[in-house]
Amino acid sequence: APDASSKKRRGVRKGVVIAILMVLLAAGAAAGATYHMEIWGGRIVPDVVGKSQADATYELERKGFAVRWTQVKSDDVEGKVLLTDPSAGSRQVQGAEVVIHVSVARVVPKVEGLPRDEAVGLFKEEGLENVEYETEFSDAAKGSVLSVDPAVGQKVKASTHIVVQVATPFTVPDVLGKTQEQAEAALAEAVRYAKDDPG
């Protein structure tokens, strides 16, 4: 005859196994839910792209992140967040630093009096590439910037056409003993050379 006590023990063991499995499943579900609720395992970086610097800072600090700003020359609205590092959606430990890249306007740099090469570098730093250089006769140092249009400090777009006047010396050629026609030709050649060599 079957042993009744043996059947009972198997039934008890089966019940214990099922109970353990139920506890493990419940624990797993609870762990997943609390992870999703950011109770443990760090915090999710919120998407603050497009928001103002102040609003983005508030939202990130409310989530427990440290915030640092860096400015980016842009044609976008000033003070607008262009991107974050780490990016939105990534999970970071509470207190981790998030860098927000904030747009600032491009402006015509202060280039008057500087050599042309230095001016070129400053325009590139601002992301301004539609820059035209013209020569103008002057007693200033050869190749130095005399003026810029639009004016220094003016806010501009990347595509704005900027005209820079660069000094070029004018040396009067020796025309003594030449005919009027020869003298005029020499003067015209001197002007053409000076225009083609801004220094």
Side-chain angles (χ1 to χ4, degrees):
D3 187 345
S5 62
S6 177
K7 280 187 176 183
K8 187 175 181 180
R9 284 195 297 271
R10 284 198 297 270
V12 170
R13 283 198 297 269
K14 186 176 180 181
V16 170
V17 170
I18 292 173
I20 291 172
L21 289 174
M22 292 294 289
V23 169
L24 291 175
L25 288 172
T34 53
Y35 181 82
H36 182 71
M37 294 167 63
E38 301 179 4
I39 293 175
W40 65 278
R43 300 289 179 88
I44 297 173
V45 177
D47 185 3
V48 295
V49 173
K51 296 187 177 183
S52 69
Q53 178 177 333
D55 288 345
T57 300
Y58 172 78
E59 188 167 339
L60 287 164
E61 288 181 343
R62 187 170 60 86
K63 293 275 287 191
F65 295 111
V67 182
R68 182 164 60 88
W69 312 276
T70 183
Q71 296 182 328
V72 180
K73 300 292 183 180
S74 171
D75 289 344
D76 218 320
V77 178
E78 287 187 74
K80 180 179 177 180
V81 176
L82 302 175
L83 60 93
T84 62
D85 182 23
S87 59
S90 61
R91 202 167 187 111
Q92 306 295 325
V93 297
Q94 189 170 2
E97 182 181 80
V98 176
V99 181
I100 58 176
H101 297 245
V102 182
S103 63
V104 292
R106 305 177 199 276
V107 297
V108 177
K110 187 175 181 180
V111 294
E112 292 170 341
L114 296 179
R116 173 175 169 164
D117 288 346
E118 288 186 29
V120 169
L122 290 175
F123 283 119
K124 284 186 176 179
E125 286 179 13
E126 290 289 330
L128 304 171
E129 298 183 354
N130 189 12
V131 183
E132 180 181 0
Y133 296 88
E134 297 180 348
T135 55
E136 182 178 325
F137 293 119
S138 172
D139 292 333
K142 182 181 180 182
S144 63
V145 175
L146 299 173
S147 63
V148 58
D149 183 33
V152 169
Q154 187 166 328
K155 294 178 181 180
V156 290
K157 301 292 186 182
S159 59
T160 300
H161 181 222
I162 298 171
V163 179
V164 181
Q165 298 292 335
V166 180
T168 185
F170 180 71
T171 304
V172 178
D174 184 5
V175 294
L176 292 177
K178 297 182 181 294
T179 65
Q180 180 178 344
E181 184 179 347
Q182 289 172 330
E184 289 175 350
L187 288 168
E189 177 64 18
V191 170
R192 185 196 66 76
Y193 176 78
K195 288 286 187 181
D196 291 343
D197 182 31

